[in-house]
Amino acid sequence: MTDSDCPDDELVERTRGGDDQAFELLMRRHAEPIRRLIARYCRNRSMVDDLAQETFVKAYFRLGSFRNESPFIYWLKQVAIRLCIDEMRRRKVRGGEEETIDSVAERMSGPDQRERAESRMALNKVLGPLSPVDRMVLVLLYGEGYGVGEVAGLTGLSGANVKVRAFRLRRRLRALYGGEFS
Amino acid sequence: MKNDNWLDRVRGDLTHAPVEPASEEFYRGIWSLIRRENAAILMSRPGPLAALGTACWRMAPVFASLLLLAALYGWFYPPAAPRRTPPVEWYALDPDRDPTEADLLYETIGAPFDAEFEVTQ
């Protein structure tokens, strides 16, 4: 079995034993899903790589607390989610940078990029006033496609709490988007 | 159908966040952060003497409690007074009696032989 076929658990064990090469493999394997999750959560693009790097650094030093009960990527996402929420709380306090339609459109490809950028900005307007946790619930439910139970496990909230937050979010989003389709 | 529309739209907006593949710089950055963190951990680790001092300082309340307990115990249960030994010239009370072997031993090493003392007296 080559290193690239090696299961995560084994790579984690090897990292714990001091094999940094194993951690490099873990990083390369899971960098994209983590960066994608963070990108869905943060409006500020410059934060994505910083938070993703911080996630892996934290994971490296806290590998001892990973107990093979769930897949490694699930644990890694928990670390990323906590970091994102903390960072968003800090930014809410001191006021973060806002995206402009042009900066969003710049990153989008295709003929309707301006229209999609506007749509994305509309969503940003909804996301803006949301609490960091509500925002994460929204991203996990509709962006990542997780179920209520999984969102509860990832965020540390209770299932009932996730349901309540999801209900309020749906109502808010329906008000935003529903007008256009009704 | 209307519901599907707005939900699809939300999903589309949320998932349409193109992320370029991570560059080599990204991975190098992680290792450099890990090295920096490691160095910070090593720097913040106290020397053996400082560690001992800290440990003692942290144990200070325990030591103080033990000392207090010992003092209280000593106050309420003072050590028994040393047993009084009979005077050496005890057998002078009965000068006619010949000293027994135990009497002589007592004189030699000064150990009390209470039982013997009581019997002979």
Side-chain angles (χ1 to χ4, degrees):
Chain A
M1 185 166 57
T2 60
D3 270 352
S4 54
D5 302 328
C6 204
D8 284 354
D9 293 351
E10 203 178 312
L11 290 175
V12 168
E13 276 312 309
R14 277 169 52 187
T15 307
R16 279 177 183 153
D19 181 359
D20 284 348
Q21 203 60 40
F23 191 69
E24 176 83 25
L25 281 170
L26 280 173
M27 276 194 314
R28 286 180 187 272
R29 193 175 286 177
H30 299 300
E32 292 318 312
I34 291 298
R35 290 174 74 240
R36 208 165 42 237
L37 167 68
I38 296 171
R40 283 172 186 168
Y41 184 73
C42 300
R43 282 175 295 166
N44 188 331
R45 300 291 112 176
S46 64
M47 279 167 67
V48 175
D49 275 354
D50 289 351
L51 282 172
Q53 285 181 328
E54 212 178 319
T55 300
F56 283 106
V57 173
K58 273 221 153 52
Y60 181 83
F61 286 103
R62 291 185 186 173
L63 265 187
S65 68
F66 172 63
R67 292 186 198 89
N68 300 4
E69 289 162 357
S70 53
F72 178 70
I73 181 65
Y74 192 79
W75 179 77
L76 204 56
K77 279 187 177 178
Q78 283 179 324
V79 175
I81 286 166
R82 268 166 215 165
L83 274 174
C84 282
I85 292 174
D86 287 347
E87 180 62 26
M88 197 52 73
R89 280 185 181 139
R90 273 197 293 273
R91 285 192 175 239
K92 282 234 174 201
V93 170
R94 58 168 199 255
E97 292 171 37
E98 292 295 319
E99 275 185 326
T100 61
I101 287 190
D102 291 331
S103 72
V104 176
E106 224 171 71
R107 292 194 314 272
M108 294 182 168
S109 52
D112 57 344
Q113 65 183 61
R114 182 91 195 167
E115 192 188 319
R116 288 214 313 260
E118 278 172 8
S119 177
R120 165 89 190 181
M121 288 300 290
L123 179 66
N124 282 350
K125 273 190 188 148
V126 181
L127 291 179
L130 290 182
S131 77
V133 179
D134 279 347
R135 192 173 169 143
M136 184 52 84
V137 169
L138 178 76
V139 168
L140 292 174
L141 280 175
Y142 301 120
E144 297 282 303
Y146 284 116
V148 170
E150 287 168 313
V151 175
L154 281 165
T155 53
L157 300 169
S158 69
N161 197 333
V162 173
K163 277 183 191 170
V164 170
R165 283 173 193 269
F167 173 76
R168 287 186 190 143
L169 285 169
R170 271 200 301 275
R171 202 168 49 189
R172 214 165 173 161
L173 290 167
R174 196 179 289 127
L176 173 78
Y177 288 98
E180 291 182 39
F181 295 104
S182 56
Chain B
M1 194 61 204
K2 278 178 191 170
N3 274 353
D4 286 350
N5 276 340
W6 73 260
L7 208 54
D8 286 346
R9 189 78 185 275
V10 172
R11 285 200 181 107
D13 285 344
L14 274 174
T15 52
H16 194 82
V19 184
E20 302 83 28
S23 61
E24 284 303 311
E25 194 60 39
F26 172 80
Y27 298 108
R28 274 200 294 275
I30 293 175
W31 284 117
S32 118
L33 284 170
I34 286 174
R35 275 194 293 275
R36 199 184 304 167
E37 190 99 348
N38 259 332
I41 290 169
L42 283 176
M43 290 287 284
S44 63
R45 196 171 287 170
L49 208 61
L52 187 70
T54 311
C56 285
W57 178 248
R58 284 190 185 148
M59 291 295 284
V62 178
F63 293 145
S65 308
L66 286 175
L67 206 64
L68 186 68
L69 276 175
L72 287 172
Y73 184 82
W75 179 266
F76 288 107
Y77 303 99
R83 196 165 49 174
R84 291 181 64 189
T85 52
V88 174
E89 58 281 7
W90 60 272
Y91 55 85
L93 292 171
D94 185 4
D96 296 336
R97 188 177 68 81
D98 288 334
T100 63
E101 205 173 309
D103 297 335
L104 294 172
L105 185 62
Y106 171 77
E107 278 194 13
T108 312
I109 65 169
F113 285 88
D114 290 352
E116 200 68 29
F117 173 75
E118 279 166 19
V119 169
T120 52
Q121 214 167 7

